């Protein structure tokens, strides 16, 4: 791979670009339902709710909300990727590391390599999957409830979703956490890495191991996942070529946050004024750039000196988005706390 | 029936594939331009050190072995008394920093790393130089590999394979580098030697060795087995060393036990040079037994996390290469170039990181590649010198670092510059048991020949160039010359050395 670093790309741009997975996309045609309008769904996956025999009234409002929530944009087809394809992007990176071209202030260029490790993941699906994994163990809903139940606040304050969501709070007064989970979807699987970096297994291996017990990790599609689904990837440096002298800033570690659901695919998560023509066309591969990021041991100017100071702002913004995401979900992300120096008792 | 190639693909296609690898190797393997530049840097640093301290400086590792990559560093080791290593390191560091504005040689980034092994790192003309102290193990390893390469023949197939595999490990899969918790170069060389020793009959080109390497180690049971040159060690039997041969091997090993025993005895590191005094093999994630020291686990630098990634890399690489070689014939060449994409991107354009002038680019049909023959005699004499040096305790006054300005420690030629050569100061009465370095009798990398016979034996303090000392002592103690012949596979090797009467 010849690293084509555009002259306008800063080192931070390069890092984000070369660690963004680009996944093969598939299409799902829109299905017109023959049900009455108030029950009409614009997405085939919600038929599952009917299959499970949920009370129609609850379901109606739920579906309408969820539907608008999960797939607010009108499209002829729904494009999606499978999680299995997503993990394939990390195959070579897990084995060889991902190369990021870096320009130093003295004009030297080199390529720094980073290995991805699964730092955290939460997969929320539609309720259909709840049935399949009812007998699952500690990694599923129970642990999520545990993490939420640490808070003493009442349930209706929990996890309000996104902007422009129509929250139907009235119906939730008596609800337990169980029902609240329904707003996010069913927590099919979650994992939070706690071991030291020296002992970790690269992302591909980790996923393969976890998928043996949770096959949905491979087979689930982005359209099956709620917008709450996300993952964090920790990037640890290997070495750079050419090696030469030691450059402190190149020992920086990164933690990138990515969404996994189709809901956000057409959104410009980054306000990228400079590249308006890069908006994704239908049928092209789907890219999952990080919506949030934390860094560790960032000391010098390699990462912040580009783009006339915009990099610095960007770093701050990425960090704050990651922080607020975790707060919304009310989860403790071990690596995030470690990277940002937060010590929890 | 002998396999022509591991995947039994069409033999013409295989030859074409090996030829493409040959072209790729031509961009990587030592070239006359890189030899020149590296030799200049080694010479410069050695002269600097010798001008101030009466120490021998030896190159070891991939430069004298001629298996270095264009981005590879230069390993030098200074022979000195162990108790003054630290002081000497700091002294040399000061000297190097003092030369940071030398117009002829650009010295930069001088760093002193005080780990278990003290190392001085610097950049000289953009080549990374590592200066260590008393790294006898490095000198031993060099001799061993040089000898192994000569025995294995096939036009330095061992060295060419080492270069190719190192290339993949460094530029493509990034699994090489003990400093980064990855595989050390010597460990990698032992892994390659293991493959050679067992599968030699079916390996006729570096591509075959690379494929075998990836295929074999990607499915190796690292949890229960370790690697040693003549087979596979059962970890559960340690500390007893139980060696098994991989089942598929039907033919004889290339290198027989006599060879290792000879190497172990001849190239052994003096006891006082070993750091921890461990006599047991410590089991880690990757276990590779050093043939020159059975308790030394060469895979100890690999951390648990990296172990997983290395396995990942070997599997992924094996799968990719298999895919290329099993694919349509017309795409094999391009597939191999893609397999070495970073390598060619960095080294195929005609620019080498370790050469001052351009070299032929990839695909032009021309090459600056030089002969890979090493200088075994020179390597061996360096080792012998080191072994001799550490076999005796030097008198107490040697524990002080000699003053830089002191005349008795420098040899100034008529033009005022430090003469090429070193002196050894010895008290009378030191035992004369000393093997003569070689039948060619040149010990110094700068060519000491013309200084022969200029020293004088003085009863209390001796000031001699090393060569003269050897000759004098040899005469005084009636050393006997004998030879030992080994039968090594199908070769007869005659080793000559001088020993006690």
């Amino acid at each position: 791979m010849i690293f084509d670093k555009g002259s306008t790309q800063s080192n931070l741009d390069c890092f984000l670009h070369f660690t963004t997975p680009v996944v093969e996309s598939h299409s799902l045609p829109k299905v017109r339902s023959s049900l009455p309008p108030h029950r009409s769904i614009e997405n085939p996956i919600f038929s599952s709710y009917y299959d499970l025999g949920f009370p129609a009234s609850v379901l109606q409002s739920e579906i309408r909300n969820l539907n608008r929530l999960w797939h607010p944009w009108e499209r002829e087809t729904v494009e999606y990727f499978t999680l299995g394809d997503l993990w394939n992007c990390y195959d070579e990176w897990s084995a060889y590391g991902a190369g990021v071209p870096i320009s130093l202030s003295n004009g030297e260029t080199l390529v720094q390599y980073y290995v991805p490790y699964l730092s955290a993941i939460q997969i929320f699906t539609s309720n259909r999957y709840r049935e399949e994994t009812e007998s699952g163990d500690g990694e599923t809903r129970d642990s999520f409830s545990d993490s939420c139940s640490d808070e003493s606040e009442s349930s209706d304050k929990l996890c309000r979703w996104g902007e422009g969501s129509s929250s139907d709070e009235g119906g939730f007064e008596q609800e337990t956490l169980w029902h609240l989970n329904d707003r996010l979807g069913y927590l099919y699987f979650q994992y939070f890495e706690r071991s030291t970096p020296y002992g970790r297994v690269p992302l591909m291996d980790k996923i393969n191991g976890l998928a043996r017990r949770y096959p949905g990790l491979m087979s689930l599609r982005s359209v099956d996942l709620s917008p709450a689904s996300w993952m964090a990837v920790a990037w640890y440096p290997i070495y750079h070529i050419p090696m030469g002298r030691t450059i402190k800033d190149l020992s920086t570690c990164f933690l990138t946050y990515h969404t996994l659901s189709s809901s956000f695919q057409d959104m410009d998560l980054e306000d990228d004024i400079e590249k308006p023509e890069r908006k994704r066309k239908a049928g092209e591969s789907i890219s999952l750039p990080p919506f949030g990021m934390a860094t560790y041991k960032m000391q010098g100017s390699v990462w912040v000196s580009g783009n006339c100071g915009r990099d610095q702002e960007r770093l701050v913004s990425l960090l704050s988005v990651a922080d607020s995401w975790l707060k919304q979900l009310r989860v403790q992300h071990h690596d995030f706390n470690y990277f940002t120096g937060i010590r929890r008792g | 029936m002998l396999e022509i190639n591991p995947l039994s693909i069409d033999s013409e296609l295989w030859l074409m594939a090996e030829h493409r690898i040959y072209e790729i190797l031509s961009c990587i393997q030592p070239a006359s331009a890189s030899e020149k530049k590296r030799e200049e840097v080694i010479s410069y640093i050695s002269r600097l050190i010798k001008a101030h301290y009466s120490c021998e400086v030896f190159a070891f590792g991939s430069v004298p072995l001629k298996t270095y990559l264009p981005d590879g560093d230069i390993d030098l080791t200074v022979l000195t008394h162990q108790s003054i290593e630290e002081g000497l390191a700091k002294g040399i560091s000061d000297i190097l920093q003092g030369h940071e504005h030398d117009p002829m040689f650009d010295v930069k980034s001088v760093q002193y790393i005080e780990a278990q092994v003290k190392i001085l790192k610097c950049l000289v003309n953009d080549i990374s130089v590592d200066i260590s102290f008393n790294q006898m193990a490095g000198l031993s390893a060099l001799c061993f590999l040089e000898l192994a390469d000569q025995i294995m023949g096939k036009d330095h197939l061992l060295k060419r394979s080492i270069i190719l595999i190192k290339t993949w490990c460094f530029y493509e899969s990034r699994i090489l580098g003990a400093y980064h918790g990855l595989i050390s170069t010597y460990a990698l060389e032992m892994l390659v030697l293991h493959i050679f020793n067992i599968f030699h009959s079916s390996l006729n080109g570096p591509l075959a060795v690379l494929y075998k390497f990836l295929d074999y180690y990607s499915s190796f049971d690292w949890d229960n087995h370790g690697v040693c040159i003549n087979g596979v060690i059962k970890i559960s039997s340690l500390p007893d060393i139980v060696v098994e041969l991989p089942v598929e091997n039907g033919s004889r090993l290339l290198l027989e036990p006599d060879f290792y025993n000879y190497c172990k005895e001849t190239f052994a590191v003096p006891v006082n040079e070993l750091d921890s005094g461990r006599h047991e093999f410590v089991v880690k994630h990757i276990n590779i037994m050093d043939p020159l020291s059975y308790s030394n686990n060469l895979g100890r630098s690999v951390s648990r996390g990296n172990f997983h990634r290395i396995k990942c890399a070997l599997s992924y690489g094996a799968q990719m290469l298999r895919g290329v070689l099993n694919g349509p014939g017309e795409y094999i060449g391009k597939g191999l170039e893609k397999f070495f994409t970073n390598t060619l991107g960095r080294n195929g354009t005609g620019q080498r990181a370790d050469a001052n002038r351009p070299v032929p680019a990839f695909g032009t049909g021309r090459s600056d590649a030089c002969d890979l023959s090493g200088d075994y005699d020179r390597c061996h004499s360096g080792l012998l010198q080191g072994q001799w040096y550490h076999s005796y305790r030097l008198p107490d006054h040697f524990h002080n670092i000699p003053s830089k300005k002191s005349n008795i420690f420098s040899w100034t030629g008529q033009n005022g510059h430090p003469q090429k050569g070193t002196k050894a100061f010895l008290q009378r009465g030191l035992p004369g048991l000393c093997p003569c370095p070689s039948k060619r009798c040149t010990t110094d990398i700068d060519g000491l020949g013309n200084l022969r016979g200029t020293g004088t034996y003085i009863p209390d303090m001796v000031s001699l160039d090393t060569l003269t000392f050897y000759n004098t002592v040899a005469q005084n103690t009636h050393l006997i010359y004998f030879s030992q012949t080994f039968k090594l596979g199908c070769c007869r090797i005659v080793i000559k050395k001088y020993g006690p009467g």
Side-chain angles (χ1 to χ4, degrees), chain A residues 25-46:
Chain A
S25 76
H26 303 278
S27 293
L28 212 52
K30 245 204 256 192
V31 171
R32 284 260 164 250
S33 160
S34 58
L35 296 161
H38 66 277
R39 279 192 185 184
S40 72
I41 51 168
E42 284 168 333
N43 189 302
I45 67 160
F46 294 109

Side-chain angles (χ1 to χ4, degrees), chain A residues 1-3 91-99 108-109 113 115 117 195 197-202 204-205 238-246, chain B residues 71 108-109 111 123 128 168-177 179-180 182 303-306 308-309 312-313 316-317 320 339 341-342 345-346:
Chain A
M1 191 202 321
I2 306 294
F3 291 98
D91 225 350
E92 184 172 310
W93 293 341
S94 296
Y96 298 167
E108 282 175 54
T109 56
Y113 292 90
V115 183
Y117 295 89
S195 59
Y198 298 109
R200 294 187 189 188
V201 158
M204 200 58 216
D205 273 4
I238 314 175
Y239 52 71
H240 48 84
I241 294 172
M243 280 200 171
R245 59 195 178 92
T246 327
Chain B
D71 286 291
K108 285 194 295 218
S109 310
Q111 252 186 300
L123 282 171
S128 186
W168 180 77
C169 290
F170 179 71
Y171 289 109
E172 307 302 328
S173 62
R174 276 78 66 173
I175 60 173
L176 188 66
Y179 189 63
H180 302 273
L182 300 164
S303 64
R304 181 173 167 252
N306 284 336
H308 289 292
R309 188 174 73 80
C312 229
Y316 189 81
M320 291 294 121
F339 193 72
T341 185
N342 293 314
R346 185 148 170 78

Side-chain angles (χ1 to χ4, degrees), chain B residues 444-464:
Chain B
D444 193 277
I445 51 169
D446 284 9
L448 201 48
N450 56 346
L451 296 173
R452 208 182 302 219
T454 50
T456 322
Y457 184 78
I458 298 165
D460 291 313
M461 276 301 263
V462 178
S463 166
L464 296 166

